[in-house]
Structures are given as C-alpha cells and as structure tokens.
Amino acid sequence: MSASVSPAPLAIDAITDADVEKVVALWQRCGLTRPWNDPHADIALARRRDNSTVLIGRDAGAIVATVMVGHDGHRGWVYYVAVDPDGRKRGHGRVMMAAAEDWLRAAEISKLQLLVRRENAQANAFYQSLGFEESTSVMFQKWLDGRETTPSS
C-alpha cells in the first residue's frame, strides 16, 4: 500500500513588479481578461492603496494562482481568482480564497462578496462549495469614463 503524498503548500505573497507580466499571462490563459478591462491597469490600481492587493500563489517558484482582493471599508471583494489550467484540481483555488479571506480579516472586514457570470457553472459551483450563497441584491453599473455599456461587462 503506497502512502499518499499531498502537494506542497503554495507560497503566498503580494505581487511585485517582476510578477506583473506573468500574472497577466495567467489571467489570459484562464480566460479572465476582457477587452474593456486593461489587466495592467487593474493590477496598478490594486497596488496603489493599502485597501487592495493581488496575492500570488507559487509552487516551486512558479506563479500558479492569483486573487485580487480589496475592500471599501465595509465589504471585501475578490476578482481575478485564477489557477493555472495545468494545475487545477489540486486545491489551489481554495488556498487562494482562504488567503483572501485572511487578508480581509486582518483588515477587520467581515463580509466578502464577489461577482460571477451566470453562465459560468464551474465557478458558481466552486464558490458554493466554499460556502458562498447567491445574493438577493441586484447589481447596477455605470461607466464613469463615458464609454457605452458593453453587453457582458
């Protein structure tokens, strides 16, 4: 009978300048980028203040997972939850979400929210498995830079 070997835990830390291009490439491989959202600008904005960051999960030094996490002083939010397609089903998504929750708890934020496209059944099932519930709230949006609303923005 062979012993089961569990994977080494991810090393988690905040994104650095040297990580940006690798993170954007990961987000693109995971299908998280959209033409109307510049991932470089999103990373820069998240790094600009103390109320947000991008956390990186590394396995043997390679970036294999990310989560952008932040708060408005009342509610926490996560975006760009990504796990390298070649490394899925190893618990990395759960580890990254736990890291985001810990980051928010350290900031004394007690509620976490996130947005998932309705048609993304896999992501919906993942978040439900972590104890998230569908909200009864309706989301409204408005672009403040004058552009037209995109169909799936």
Side-chain angles (χ1 to χ4, degrees):
M1 187 163 152
S2 64
S4 170
V5 177
S6 51
L10 293 181
I12 298 174
D13 53 18
I15 192 171
T16 67
D17 290 344
D19 299 323
V20 172
E21 293 307 320
K22 291 175 185 169
V23 167
V24 170
L26 174 62
W27 291 353
Q28 289 169 338
R29 276 196 317 277
C30 293
L32 297 178
T33 59
R34 297 292 181 265
W36 53 87
N37 289 336
D38 176 357
H40 293 89
D42 288 347
I43 291 169
L45 183 60
R47 296 177 72 197
R48 194 173 300 153
R49 297 206 173 86
D50 292 338
N51 67 329
S52 58
T53 192
V54 179
L55 299 176
I56 304 292
R58 297 179 196 274
D59 183 9
I63 296 172
V64 297
T66 67
V67 62
M68 180 183 289
V69 58
H71 67 85
D72 58 17
H74 183 65
R75 291 180 179 94
W77 289 88
V78 294
Y79 306 89
Y80 291 109
V81 178
V83 174
D84 189 298
D86 295 333
R88 293 193 174 152
K89 303 296 183 194
R90 296 181 186 167
H92 295 335
R94 289 179 179 278
V95 170
M96 295 310 296
M97 287 300 295
E101 290 177 16
D102 289 345
W103 189 92
L104 289 166
R105 282 187 197 98
E108 300 181 3
I109 302 299
S110 60
K111 185 176 185 182
L112 171 56
Q113 299 183 151
L114 54 91
L115 301 171
V116 179
R117 287 179 172 78
R118 289 194 190 282
E119 66 274 8
N120 192 339
Q122 185 177 9
N124 281 290
F126 170 69
Y127 291 114
Q128 288 173 356
S129 79
L130 295 179
F132 284 81
E133 300 172 350
E134 188 171 328
S135 174
T136 58
S137 300
V138 175
M139 187 187 77
F140 290 89
Q141 67 182 15
K142 177 181 179 182
W143 288 102
L144 300 178
D145 61 5
R147 69 181 114 167
E148 294 293 319
T149 298
T150 52
S152 300
S153 61

